[in-house]
Amino acid sequence: EIVLTQFPGTLSLSPGERATLSCRASQTVSNNYLVWYQQKPGRAPRLLIYGASSRATGIPDRFSGSGSGTDFTLTISRLEPEDFAVYYCQQYSTSRGTFGQGTKVEIK
Amino acid sequence: EVQLLESGGGLVQPGGSLRLSCAASGFTFNNYAMSWVRQAPGKGLEWVSTVSGSGYSTIYAGSVKGRFTISRDNSKNILYMQLNSLRVEDTAIYYCAKDPHNGDYPWWFDPWGQGTLVTVS
């Protein structure tokens, strides 16, 4: 099983600032089969990025994904008020997908 | 627009059973694998199970294998999850979600339903 570790656990930033979230895998995620989700309180997760760097339909271009192998990054170029939420990475390179534990982006 | 609507959650005693349902609309249901993902209160996400578009292929997380059964009725566009031998640690919101392809194991999940709460106590 691939274990995904996200860091930091919490990121305290102000609107307009840049957010950099990391997701590290315990072994290589083949074909960059990694996605990112956003979850707001009381809501279901929403897909942001698939294939490590492709934005899902309707996702603003301030969200970008990068990385390969075992290290992946989600970047939010300029935080909007609606971006404060919890973000999860998930790999699908093995038959049983696994999630990271999440990074909370909170208002400073 | 793709819509997924779960139902069937509730309070059940340890060792009990529940059947969750997920009504799907807005896409050709049998062309896509479907999955269940759960989230314990205040915790992260855990993939539970996936069924292929035909319903013939299923796969489970180790934590639920042998206790939960995923199935689908393609004539009614409904996804099911039978939960047996429930444990306190199965308490969670259970989400159904659409896979982007028709395969034997999960890729990513998009979109998700609103979830249904299962409480084992």
Side-chain angles (χ1 to χ4, degrees):
Chain A
E1 175 183 301
I2 295 180
V3 176
L4 299 178
T5 302
Q6 293 186 240
F7 54 94
T10 302
L11 200 51
S12 298
L13 295 168
S14 300
E17 290 193 295
R18 181 184 187 89
T20 303
L21 288 67
S22 296
C23 176
R24 178 165 292 163
S26 60
Q27 55 190 278
T28 296
V29 176
S30 59
N31 300 308
N32 292 338
Y33 280 178
L34 187 117
V35 300
W36 291 92
Y37 301 94
Q38 175 194 67
Q39 187 178 33
K40 297 180 181 180
R43 304 288 299 273
R46 176 176 72 145
L47 178 71
L48 298 175
I49 302 288
Y50 63 93
S53 60
S54 298
R55 268 188 302 276
T57 303
I59 301 303
D61 60 7
R62 64 180 181 273
F63 291 92
S64 63
S66 63
S68 64
T70 60
D71 289 295
F72 298 88
T73 300
L74 175 70
T75 302
I76 310 171
S77 59
R78 289 177 53 87
L79 283 164
E80 297 287 341
E82 62 268 27
D83 299 337
F84 292 92
V86 179
Y87 293 83
Y88 294 94
C89 57
Q90 177 231 325
Q91 64 82 21
Y92 55 103
S93 68
T94 60
S95 60
R96 291 172 171 81
T98 51
F99 290 89
Q101 83 280 14
T103 289
K104 182 179 182 180
V105 179
E106 66 177 21
I107 299 176
K108 187 175 182 179
Chain B
E1 179 192 5
V2 174
Q3 292 194 347
L4 302 170
L5 184 62
E6 301 95 333
S7 60
L11 175 63
V12 62
Q13 293 183 340
S17 297
L18 277 178
R19 189 176 82 156
L20 308 182
S21 299
C22 171
S25 61
F27 63 104
T28 305
F29 187 63
N30 62 3
N31 281 356
Y32 295 92
M34 295 290 294
S35 298
W36 290 96
V37 180
R38 68 183 179 182
Q39 186 171 35
K43 302 298 184 181
L45 301 167
E46 179 188 17
W47 166 79
V48 175
S49 182
T50 297
V51 60
S52 63
S54 66
Y56 291 131
S57 178
T58 59
I59 188 169
Y60 299 91
S63 57
V64 307
K65 192 172 183 180
R67 301 188 298 122
F68 291 8
T69 302
I70 192 171
S71 61
R72 61 194 297 161
D73 185 335
N74 286 343
S75 69
K76 297 180 179 178
N77 289 2
I78 299 178
L79 173 71
Y80 299 103
M81 176 69 83
Q82 178 69 38
L83 286 61
N84 295 333
S85 303
L86 282 160
R87 305 167 179 167
V88 171
E89 56 266 34
D90 294 320
T91 295
I93 296 172
Y94 285 74
Y95 296 100
C96 72
K98 174 181 169 289
D99 276 46
H101 78 317
N102 185 5
D104 296 337
Y105 62 89
W107 278 29
W108 62 85
F109 311 111
D110 178 49
W112 302 52
Q114 89 290 347
T116 187
L117 177 62
V118 172
T119 303
V120 185
S121 177

